[in-house]
C-alpha cells in the first residue's frame, strides 16, 4: 500500500461532524457565576458541538430535523408531536466536549472541536436557523463560559444526531 493510499483511507475514516445532543425537558436553565442567565420551560435542550468542516448545509439539516422531531406525546401517549406542535421552547448550549476523542490515554483531546473564531459564527447561525425553522422561542447559554446547565429530562428522552452520517 502506498503512502497516498494510506492517507486517502485516513481521510475517508475521519469525517468531521456537527453533533447535537437533544434532550426533551420540562425545564432547563443556565447559570454563570451564580447568576441564572437563561431559563426555559417545556421543550428541548440542544447541546451543540461544531467542527471546522461544518457548513450551512449541516446547520439547515439539523435545524429542520430538530424542529420536526416527533418526541412529545400526543393525547394517546405516543410520541407523535414536535416541539413546534406543543409550542415548546428550545435552549441551545454550545459544548465543544461533544467532539472529545478518548482514543489515546485517559485525558480527552478536543483537537477536533472548532476554535472560537469559527465556532461562534456557526453557533449564532445555528440559533438563527433554528429560530427560523421552528418558530419557537430560543434561549441560549453563553459561548465559551463556564456554565452550570440544569435540566429535568422528561421521559427521559435523549437523542444524539450528527450532520454527516445523519445517524449515530
Amino acid at each position: 500500500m502506498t503512502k497516498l493510499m494510506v492517507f486517502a483511507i485516513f481521510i475517508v475514516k475521519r469525517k468531521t461532524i456537527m453533533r447535537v445532543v437533544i434532550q426533551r425537558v420540562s425545564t432547563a436553565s443556565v447559570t454563570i457565576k451564580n447568576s441564572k442567565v437563561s431559563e426555559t420551560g417545556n421543550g428541548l435542550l440542544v447541546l451543540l458541538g461544531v467542527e471546522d468542516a461544518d457548513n450551512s448545509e449541516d446547520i439547515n439539516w439539523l435545524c429542520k430535523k430538530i424542529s420536526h422531531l416527533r418526541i412529545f406525546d400526543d393525547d394517546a401517549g405516543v410520541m407523535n408531536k414536535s416541539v413546534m406542535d406543543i409550542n415548546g421552547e428550545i435552549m441551545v448550549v454550545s459544548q465543544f466536549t461533544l467532539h472529545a476523542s478518548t482514543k489515546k490515554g485517559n485525558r480527552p483531546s478536543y483537537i477536533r472541536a472548532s476554535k472560537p473564531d469559527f465556532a461562534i459564527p456557526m453557533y449564532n447561525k445555528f440559533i438563527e436557523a433554528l429560530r427560523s425553522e421552528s418558530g419557537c422561542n430560543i434561549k441560549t447559554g453563553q459561548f465559551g463560559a463556564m456554565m452550570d446547565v440544569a435540566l429535568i429530562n422528561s421521559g427521559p428522552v435523549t437523542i444524539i444526531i450528527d450532520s454527516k452520517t445523519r445517524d449515530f
Side-chain angles (χ1 to χ4, degrees):
M1 192 178 304
T2 68
K3 287 182 183 181
L4 183 57
M5 289 172 68
V6 172
F7 181 71
I9 291 168
F10 176 75
I11 298 243
V12 169
K13 285 180 122 180
R14 192 186 172 318
K15 288 185 177 182
T16 57
I17 55 174
M18 181 176 281
R19 179 171 289 157
V20 294
V21 174
I22 303 161
Q23 295 179 298
R24 185 178 75 179
V25 298
S26 52
T27 184
S29 65
V30 172
T31 301
I32 301 172
K33 295 182 182 176
N34 296 319
S35 177
K36 192 177 288 186
V37 297
S38 191
E39 187 171 20
T40 187
N42 195 33
L44 301 173
L45 170 64
V46 178
L47 304 174
L48 173 67
V50 177
E51 286 191 357
D52 289 345
D54 295 332
N55 57 45
S56 294
E57 182 182 329
D58 298 309
I59 290 172
N60 294 335
W61 184 84
L62 281 169
C63 289
K64 185 173 183 175
K65 180 61 80 175
I66 292 165
S67 298
H68 296 275
L69 200 59
R70 298 184 312 166
I71 58 172
F72 293 90
D73 291 348
D74 61 16
D75 294 336
V78 177
M79 286 194 257
N80 270 329
K81 292 188 174 187
S82 71
V83 68
M84 297 182 303
D85 296 330
I86 65 155
N87 295 315
E89 296 179 294
I90 304 173
M91 180 174 290
V92 179
V93 175
S94 64
Q95 189 170 359
F96 73 92
T97 60
L98 291 179
H99 291 295
S101 172
T102 57
K103 187 174 183 176
K104 293 182 182 178
N106 294 317
R107 182 175 180 208
S109 168
Y110 304 107
I111 194 95
R112 293 186 334 207
S114 291
K115 302 288 185 255
D117 62 330
F118 180 78
I120 292 171
M122 292 297 283
Y123 172 72
N124 290 330
K125 288 176 186 176
F126 181 89
I127 292 164
E128 288 309 311
L130 190 56
R131 181 176 286 123
S132 176
E133 180 68 37
S134 70
C136 292
N137 186 17
I138 308 291
K139 305 286 182 81
T140 66
Q142 181 181 332
F143 189 97
M146 178 62 185
M147 297 176 275
D148 293 327
V149 180
L151 67 130
I152 297 176
N153 188 325
S154 178
V157 175
T158 301
I159 297 172
I160 302 168
I161 302 175
D162 72 56
S163 63
K164 297 295 190 248
T165 62
R166 301 194 177 185
D167 192 14
F168 194 81

